[in-house]
Amino acid sequence: MKIKEIDKRYKFIIFLFIISLISSLVIFFYNKEENKLTVTAENDYIIVPKPLLYKPEKGEFIIKEDSSIYIAGNSEEETEEISKIAEYFKGKIMPATGFDLPIIKLQEAPEGSIYLTTIGGTEDMGNEGYQIIISPENIKITAYKPEGLFRAIQTLRQMLPPDIEKDTLVSNIKWSIASSRIEDKPEYEYRGLMLDVARHFFTVDEIKRQIENAAQYKINKLHLHLSDDQGWRLEIKKWPDLTNIGASTEVGGGPGGFYSQEDFIDIVNFAKERYIEIIPEFDMPGHSNAALASYGFLNPDGQRKDLYTGTEVGFSSFRTDDEKTYEFIEDIIKELSAISPSKYIHIGGDEAEATPKEGYDYFVGRVAKIVQKYGKIPIGWDPIDTSPEIDSSVILQNWRDTNAAAREKRMKIIISIAGKSYLDMKYDENSSYGLDWAGLIPIETSYSWDLTDYAPKELILGIEAPLWTETIEDGIAMDYMIYPRLLSYAEIGWTPKEVRNWTEYKIRLEKQKERLANQQINYYNE
Ligand code: TNX
């Protein structure tokens, strides 16, 4: 009797044990499925911006001298486009590996190959989404559009050893990529960097270098601030004094400079090959002294204003009640829209403190209509949204926490909150470059926020980080202010806020630094 009871008890305990074992296994595997979205920095997982889904598998793929790149598109035209992306990838890895990988058009992926294709890509991936499957046999990258393949290439670069970014041959290294599966697409369609080339002028090569560097973090817009009080930086054939006079100096009195229309097209094409759209801005009606110094008829007394090389803002204004102003602006917009393929033209609209409000409201409405006449979508800084002449066909670029009018009108908004995303704000008190009027922006501050803190999700087009250049004179200073904060902004724009957190990001960022150094980017090291 007793023995039987003990027996029963044991059986019961064993039963309980088995039940709890089964339930813990169920919970474990269930969580594993769930956790796919929240992988941490283990497994050498360092990608920035963080992909939506990263699933490590066993093994690795090794790029070798005899590896090949295979490509296939849904049409001949698409295959051509993909072949350029393949060339770009090959060019990126050639200096360090020394491998001259062949690029072959073929609709399958043999062993040892890297295969780039849009065949099988589906619409739900979006234009920039992609899937990468890495196995010891090959790498298969699929996207709905070639653009998605280009974004995927940036991910792949980051999965190779950091030495891949060196521009000299590296020997005795295994170019391995961990087996895994990645599925990815961006949260926001607009992920931009702005460079102010008006306060200080930067050459075509300096701009190209910044485009090249930003592309690796999947930045897809470069906004060029082409005019301000201190300089007019784009050739306008009908009004040559804009550059003869208006481009002849900069902050501090240096020689300034400008882009010929050919230079501009060259920048646009270079950016396009990296799937970055150039968005041109002429700032109006304020920030316009360079134009007013170029042509006397724009001023009430018919006299040219003096050129300006200081850093004050808010003192200049176009005449808002003079038809000649609008004819002049239309000529400029007409020439610009002929050479700029972007669907956007930025018309400024900020800090027009020398323009009476009524004139401002009329002016921005009128200029927005000129831009639309040439088939472009106007963007304007706040407070452009407060003009009754502005409606939801215009996009607001929001730099202060004021967008009530835009919300009311259901305007789309680009978030560039100064205290969070201004690349010209100092990191700390010791920064040798930069300003601090919007506060200091250390790396943690640059990362730990979300666009939805400032506007409803459905109105947000995306993020832009502007670099104003009153204190920035060269590429070295530019790099320092942009990196590594641009990585924060790239991730805020790409990765959903639910899967981002600073503690985990910090680890990935740390590992990115060696890559930045290998590319000779003069980043700020905290
Ligand atoms: C404000 S924010 C400006 C720029 C200055 C910048 C300096 C905005 C749209 N205008 O004119 O360069 O501050 O941080």
Side-chain angles (χ1 to χ4, degrees), residues 330-331 333-334 337 345 369-376:
E330 179 156 354
D331 289 340
I333 299 295
K334 188 176 169 192
S337 43
I345 287 182
K369 284 191 190 71
I370 296 173
V371 166
Q372 285 162 342
K373 179 175 164 191
Y374 290 91
K376 306 291 187 183

Side-chain angles (χ1 to χ4, degrees), residues 199 287 350-351 381 399 422 424-425 435 437 468 470:
R199 269 52 177 275
H287 291 278
D350 58 312
E351 299 174 321
W381 297 107
W399 59 285
Y422 267 24
D424 63 319
M425 292 301 120
L435 304 172
W437 66 264
W468 302 100
E470 286 94 333

Side-chain angles (χ1 to χ4, degrees), residues 222-465:
L222 175 68
H223 166 185
L224 289 177
H225 182 75
L226 289 168
S227 74
D228 213 299
D229 291 319
Q230 299 84 349
W232 185 280
R233 306 297 179 203
L234 181 67
E235 172 192 26
I236 300 295
K237 298 204 160 128
K238 186 150 184 203
W239 299 105
D241 284 349
L242 279 172
T243 44
N244 288 340
I245 298 172
S248 63
T249 193
E250 59 186 5
V251 167
F258 68 94
Y259 309 119
S260 66
Q261 295 199 357
E262 274 166 23
D263 288 341
F264 181 79
I265 293 167
D266 184 23
I267 292 173
V268 164
N269 290 337
F270 183 88
K272 191 166 170 241
E273 282 162 20
R274 284 144 189 86
Y275 294 84
I276 290 181
E277 179 179 343
I278 300 291
I279 297 168
E281 174 189 357
F282 292 126
D283 202 347
M284 305 174 261
H287 291 278
S288 52
N289 187 74
L292 306 178
S294 305
Y295 287 101
F297 77 86
L298 295 171
N299 301 299
D301 61 0
Q303 301 298 307
R304 290 185 171 120
K305 292 262 187 275
D306 291 337
L307 289 165
Y308 181 69
T309 59
T311 59
E312 294 299 311
V313 297
F315 60 87
S316 57
S317 180
F318 276 119
R319 293 179 65 187
T320 60
D321 57 355
D322 185 355
E323 280 307 303
K324 287 200 292 291
T325 300
Y326 298 105
E327 284 162 23
F328 174 77
I329 290 169
E330 179 156 354
D331 289 340
I332 291 166
I333 299 295
K334 188 176 169 192
E335 279 194 36
L336 176 62
S337 43
I339 58 169
S340 174
S342 169
K343 63 178 174 192
Y344 303 113
I345 287 182
H346 201 305
I347 59 174
D350 58 312
E351 299 174 321
E353 285 144 33
T355 319
K357 172 73 174 143
E358 204 184 325
Y360 174 86
D361 287 351
Y362 175 76
F363 178 92
V364 294
R366 180 104 183 246
V367 174
K369 284 191 190 71
I370 296 173
V371 166
Q372 285 162 342
K373 179 175 164 191
Y374 290 91
K376 306 291 187 183
I377 300 171
I379 306 177
W381 297 107
D382 67 64
I384 201 169
D385 55 325
T386 63
S387 161
E389 305 297 322
I390 292 291
D391 62 21
S392 63
S393 63
V394 177
I395 291 164
L396 172 70
Q397 184 165 9
N398 198 186
W399 59 285
R400 297 173 297 196
D401 195 7
T402 49
N403 57 26
R407 289 183 195 216
E408 179 90 5
K409 297 174 184 176
R410 310 299 289 167
M411 289 168 68
K412 284 276 192 295
I413 304 174
I414 297 162
I415 303 282
S416 296
I417 299 299
K420 298 290 181 187
S421 71
Y422 267 24
L423 288 164
D424 63 319
M425 292 301 120
K426 294 178 181 225
Y427 290 91
D428 55 47
E429 280 93 358
N430 305 323
S431 291
S432 30
Y433 317 105
L435 304 172
D436 59 8
W437 66 264
L440 299 172
I441 308 187
I443 299 168
E444 183 172 356
T445 306
S446 73
Y447 186 81
S448 302
W449 62 291
D450 190 64
L451 306 186
T452 53
D453 300 342
Y454 296 96
K457 176 95 198 271
E458 69 274 15
L459 296 183
I460 302 174
L461 200 59
I463 182 171
E464 188 178 290

Side-chain angles (χ1 to χ4, degrees), residues 92 126 327 472:
K92 281 284 162 215
E327 284 162 23
I472 312 299

Side-chain angles (χ1 to χ4, degrees), residues 5 37-38 41 58 114 145 174 176 187 195 234 251 287 323 337 356 367 387 406 414 417 439 459 466 501 519:
E5 257 176 27
L37 284 174
T38 53
K58 278 217 167 67
I114 301 163
K145 295 283 176 200
K174 191 167 76 169
S176 91
E187 184 77 344
L195 298 176
L234 181 67
V251 167
H287 291 278
E323 280 307 303
S337 43
V367 174
S387 161
I414 297 162
I417 299 299
L459 296 183
N501 80 75
Q519 295 171 74

